[in-house]
Amino acid sequence: MNGFSKDFLWGGATAANQYEGGYISGGKGLSTLDAITGGSHTSPRMITYKTVEGDIKKTNRNDSLPEGAVGYIDPNTYYPSHVATDFYGHYKEDIKLFSKMGFKCFRMSLNWSRIAPNGTKDLNEEGLKFYDDVFDELLKYGIEPVVTINHFDIPMYLADTLDGWSSRDVIDYFVFFCETIFKRYKNKVKYWMTFNEINFLRSWTQIGIHNNDDRTKYQAAHHLFVASAKAVKIGHEINPDFKIGMMVAYIPSYPMTCKPEDVMEALTFNREKEFYMDVQCKGYYPAHKIKEFERKGVVIKKEIGDDEIIKEGTVDYIGFSYYMSTVSSTDPNVQRTGGNQVTACKNPYLEVSDWGWAVDPLGLRISLCQIYDRYNLPLFIVENGFGAVDKIEEDGTIKDDYRIDYFKKHILAMRDAVQLDGVDLIGYTPWGCIDLVSAGTGEMKKRYGFIYVDMDDTGNGTLKRIKKNSFEWYREVIASNGSCLD
Ligand code: BG6
């Protein structure tokens, strides 16, 4: 018995700042991510910046920056986004490989500063044309583009001159950007998402804010909500067939014990991401968040009409990433482990990846049920995957059975959610379907792809593409619409 509809969107997912490269090619302007160094499991990625006094410094990519500091590209430092795995130069070859895997769709993001080098209203025709070419190439193979409008970066100019999304002016620039791309690609792209993992947008790196305190972070979030809602409305006016979604990092948390305090702790953890989902899917701020703001003295500056804009601009579907679950506990000595942008509590029942992320396929079914029960909107798993070190054998093969095992269990869990729980799931795009730079650590060593790319953590490599064993396996999954897993 197969739970997936015949038009289920099987594919893969990437993001411009981690995959595209070509950081100053074809008239592209700088974006914040261009000034973020590589890192590792144990050493954080750093922002290189220049102070108002002219000093060159660096700091952890999640830190606040001094007022007036501007992003700085140090000629002696290696920045992984500059070449990444060079989709810019390899898009035809890569799309051909995706088509061989049978992709029905391909998730990618647009580099805002490729289209508008400063993020303002001056456009770069060469950048617009690049994405035209990419979409044409995808459509040539019958692959539906799924576009994240903004994935973790902002043109450096907007970060440096306006303090990024803390400024209301950025809403207009973003909406102009959306209007531009909606009009330009209205016959090529149907599926859009406004902001990647909106619940994780909280630093200069991602949204250009210098001060990461709660007041600035939530003010910026309000601007993101208004901008997203305006984009949804304008998008539907430009093409009523557009499907415009939100995107959230979904990490479900279980109470460590049935102690009510642990249950409350888990509720509080889960509410943080639901806040972002509630605003974009239901169209209003949830009561618990308003109360939290009152307690913390966070006053959101809203303009008259903002609440209506948010109400009218709710999304058509929910896109989400799912890699892992976590646990909530009031015990300060609970064991910790790694996680996607969070330090998680260790679940004694689950194995973890080499980066400490808990592997929890049933958690994916639980997540799908939780989200669908709460919002009753179509769901799209736009990221899921297993970051691991891959080895090229002497015969040139890459035996990534651990990845196949991870995907198999997660796909079966999502099939249960469709077949047994009635969840309306429209697609599945595993993360980093071709190797790309890790967002969290800046490493190449942490690989997710079905396709290997010869590039290391210091920028050395031929960029040659090699199929891993999972390539053929995923091709069969897609060709059989999941039924080969029975
Ligand atoms: C998600 C992001 O949080 O997780 C991706 O949307 C990111 O950009 C992915 O790459 C995996 O995280 P990491 O740190 O392993 O690259």
Side-chain angles (χ1 to χ4, degrees), residues 148-403:
T148 319
I149 299 172
N150 186 244
H151 190 125
F152 281 173
D153 61 354
I154 176 169
M156 188 116 66
Y157 178 84
L158 295 182
D160 289 348
T161 58
L162 293 177
D163 195 36
W165 281 98
S166 79
S167 161
R168 197 169 171 102
D169 293 346
V170 177
I171 298 177
D172 273 355
Y173 289 129
F174 180 78
V175 172
F176 171 79
F177 173 58
C178 291
E179 203 172 341
T180 304
I181 56 174
F182 287 157
K183 284 185 176 154
R184 175 96 174 200
Y185 309 124
K186 71 171 187 219
N187 298 320
K188 299 183 182 181
V189 180
K190 176 177 169 191
Y191 290 94
W192 304 88
M193 269 163 277
T194 47
F195 297 101
N196 182 66
E197 294 189 338
I198 187 165
N199 52 325
F200 281 166
L201 303 183
R202 55 193 172 207
S203 65
W204 183 85
T205 316
Q206 298 152 327
I207 50 172
I209 56 175
H210 284 66
N211 188 337
N212 302 352
D213 62 10
D214 274 352
R215 194 199 61 76
T216 316
K217 181 180 97 175
Y218 286 119
Q219 184 64 53
H222 180 70
H223 294 153
L224 293 163
F225 291 145
V226 173
S228 174
K230 283 186 165 191
V232 170
K233 199 158 178 241
I234 289 172
H236 287 152
E237 281 160 15
I238 293 172
N239 185 345
D241 291 336
F242 277 177
K243 299 288 175 210
I244 309 176
M246 60 104 39
M247 198 296 197
V248 65
Y250 203 86
I251 302 177
S253 189
Y254 311 130
M256 179 64 100
T257 69
C258 52
K259 198 167 89 177
E261 284 78 5
D262 282 355
V263 177
M264 190 66 212
E265 199 73 10
L267 179 84
T268 306
F269 181 95
N270 290 324
R271 271 179 167 173
E272 183 59 20
K273 61 183 167 298
E274 286 162 2
F275 157 57
Y276 291 87
M277 301 170 83
D278 286 356
V279 177
Q280 295 195 282
C281 302
K282 295 181 175 176
Y284 54 86
Y285 277 61
H288 65 82
K289 204 66 185 175
I290 295 169
K291 287 291 171 195
E292 183 191 322
F293 288 162
E294 281 172 18
R295 280 196 305 279
K296 291 183 170 168
V298 171
V299 180
I300 304 291
K301 279 191 233 137
K302 288 186 183 176
E303 282 194 1
I304 296 169
D306 281 2
D307 289 340
E308 284 68 35
I309 292 168
I310 287 174
K311 198 174 200 152
E312 286 169 10
T314 55
V315 293
D316 300 320
Y317 68 95
I318 298 172
F320 69 100
S321 64
Y322 176 85
Y323 293 90
M324 51 169 279
S325 59
T326 186
V327 178
S328 295
S329 168
T330 45
D331 176 0
N333 299 317
V334 70
Q335 200 187 341
R336 299 270 164 184
T337 186
N340 187 9
Q341 312 232 15
V342 290
T343 308
C345 295
K346 175 101 177 58
N347 185 330
Y349 300 99
L350 299 175
E351 301 284 318
V352 298
S353 75
D354 287 349
W355 276 262
W357 298 22
V359 176
D360 182 11
L362 184 55
L364 177 57
R365 178 174 170 196
I366 292 168
S367 302
L368 284 159
C369 294
Q370 285 174 340
I371 304 173
Y372 194 62
D373 291 354
R374 191 178 174 99
Y375 300 104
N376 203 25
L377 283 170
L379 306 186
F380 198 157
I381 302 167
V382 294
E383 285 186 34
N384 173 237
F386 189 67
V389 178
D390 292 327
K391 182 168 156 257
I392 306 184
E393 305 291 337
E394 275 177 16
D395 63 1
T397 58
I398 297 157
K399 298 189 167 62
D400 56 342
D401 300 344
Y402 36 86
R403 184 168 292 111

Side-chain angles (χ1 to χ4, degrees), residues 64-84:
S64 293
L65 289 187
E67 212 182 312
V70 296
Y72 174 76
I73 309 286
D74 174 4
N76 300 315
T77 297
Y78 173 63
Y79 297 95
S81 75
H82 291 192
V83 175

